[in-house]
Amino acid sequence: MPSRSASATHPVAGIGVFDSGVGGLSVLQALRRAQPQACLHYVADSAFAPYGERHDEEIRDRSRRIVEHLLAQGARLIVVACNTATAAAIDTLRREHPDTPFVGVEPGVRPAIALSRRKRIAVMATEATLRSERFRVLVQREAAGGFAHLQPCPGLAAAIERDDADSPGLQALVTRYAEAVRAADVDVVALGCTHYPFVRDDIARVLGDEFMLLDTADAVASQAARLWRAPATEVDAAWCRLEATGDPQQLRRFAARWLGMAAAIAPAALVL
Ligand code: DGL
C-alpha cells in the first residue's frame, strides 16, 4: 500500500475509516485497491474492542467520537468498516452529519442468497449485529423465501485482535462456530464481521469444499469510490494514516503481517 506520511497531523481531505480494531483493515485494503490515489485515515478503537459484546449506546458513543475526530482531521467521506457499528450507529451518524456521506458494512445476505443453490445461507457475525433491528430488516427483505442460519461468534473478534493466527484458543473458536454452521445444512456463508476474513482459510478448512464464503469489502470499496469526490488540490502521493486508541504496535504488526503494508507505517496512539 503506498504511503507517504503516516504522521501528518494537518487536515487532509481524505477518506476516514474506522472499526473497533484491526478488522476494518480488510476493508482498508479493498479501499486502497479501488482508489490508489485517495488519502486514507484509519482509526482502530482497540481500547474499546470488541464492540460486539457492548451495549448499543456505548457503540454509538464511541462511533460518534471517532467520526468527529476523523472529520476534524479533514475526512470528507466516512467508511464505517464495522458491521456492529453500522448496525448500532450509522443512522445516528448520518442524522448528526447530514453533509457527510457515510458508507457502512452489512453482512452480504443478498449476494449470499443469490449464490446459494438451495437458498440456504448462514451469517457469522457478532451478537450485537445479529440482535439489531437493522439486521432483522435486512434478513427479512433479502432472505424472504430462503433460510438464514444466524451464527453468533462471541469471543472470535477479540481473539483475532489478540492472538497469533495459529493460537489454540483462536482455532478452537473457529472450529466451534464453523462446525455449528456446517451442521445447519447451508451452502453459502456470509462473513458478517470485518475481522473474520482474517480467519477465512481456517473457517473454510473446517467447513470443507462444498461451502462458499463471502464478505462485502469489495462492494463497500466500490460504493465508497462512487461517492468519493477527490479534492480539487491533489496531494502528490496517496497517503495512509493509522491510529489506535489501544496499543499502536499491535495495529502496526497486524497491518504489516496481513496487508503487507510498509512496516514503516507507525500508527499513532490516540486518546478519544
Ligand atoms: N469488526 C467488527 C464488525 O464488523 C466488530 C467486531 C467487534 O469488535 O466485536 O462487526
Side-chain angles (χ1 to χ4, degrees):
M1 179 175 291
S3 156
R4 183 144 193 280
S5 162
S7 58
T9 52
H10 55 283
V12 174
I15 302 178
V17 186
F18 76 95
D19 177 48
S20 62
V22 297
L25 294 176
S26 59
V27 177
L28 192 76
Q29 190 177 36
L31 285 166
R32 176 53 82 217
R33 268 198 308 271
Q35 299 195 82
Q37 294 313 316
C39 292
L40 304 172
H41 182 175
Y42 184 87
V43 172
D45 196 14
S46 37
F48 289 81
Y51 280 1
E53 288 150 46
R54 290 188 180 273
H55 295 298
D56 290 358
E57 197 42 59
E58 254 182 307
I59 300 168
R60 271 194 289 277
D61 177 57
R62 294 306 305 165
S63 301
R64 239 190 216 121
R65 285 170 194 244
I66 293 167
V67 164
E68 276 158 20
H69 169 72
L70 289 168
L71 292 174
Q73 296 298 309
R76 294 201 186 158
L77 166 70
I78 303 285
V79 177
V80 184
C82 174
N83 293 262
T84 309
T86 300
I90 201 165
D91 291 340
T92 306
L93 296 170
R94 284 185 169 132
R95 225 176 8 256
E96 292 177 355
H97 302 280
D99 299 330
T100 302
F102 285 85
V103 180
V105 182
E106 288 185 314
V109 174
R110 183 207 287 247
I113 285 283
L115 286 167
S116 170
R117 283 190 313 277
R118 291 180 296 124
K119 306 297 166 214
R120 291 182 64 86
I121 68 162
V123 180
M124 298 176 77
T126 67
E127 290 166 301
T129 296
L130 297 181
R131 72 164 179 253
S132 69
E133 175 63 8
R134 202 178 169 88
F135 180 72
R136 192 190 64 74
V137 170
L138 178 76
V139 170
Q140 200 172 50
R141 190 180 65 229
E142 304 297 349
F147 167 77
H149 168 79
L150 308 185
Q151 183 60 53
C153 305
L156 184 54
I160 292 167
E161 197 74 25
R162 183 188 59 226
D163 294 352
D164 290 337
D166 53 0
S167 91
L170 172 56
Q171 290 304 321
L173 287 173
V174 167
T175 302
R176 182 189 314 161
Y177 299 135
E179 280 180 350
V181 165
R182 195 172 56 191
D185 188 27
V186 300
D187 57 3
V188 180
V189 182
L191 300 179
C193 169
T194 53
H195 281 70
Y196 302 168
F198 294 115
V199 289
R200 175 195 293 263
D201 292 349
D202 305 289
I203 296 172
R205 219 173 2 258
V206 177
L207 288 175
D209 289 344
E210 62 277 20
F211 290 81
M212 188 181 290
L213 290 172
L214 60 89
D215 68 74
T216 52
D218 286 322
V220 168
S222 305
Q223 174 64 1
R226 274 191 290 275
L227 293 178
W228 175 239
R229 300 279 163 267
T233 324
E234 289 278 6
V235 288
D236 52 355
W239 158 110
C240 185
R241 184 191 309 170
L242 304 182
E243 289 177 311
T245 58
D247 176 11
Q249 291 316 318
Q250 186 247 10
L251 179 60
R252 186 191 65 76
R253 279 194 300 275
F254 206 91
R257 168 159 176 218
W258 290 97
L259 306 183
M261 285 168 60
I265 295 181
L270 177 69
V271 179
L272 284 177

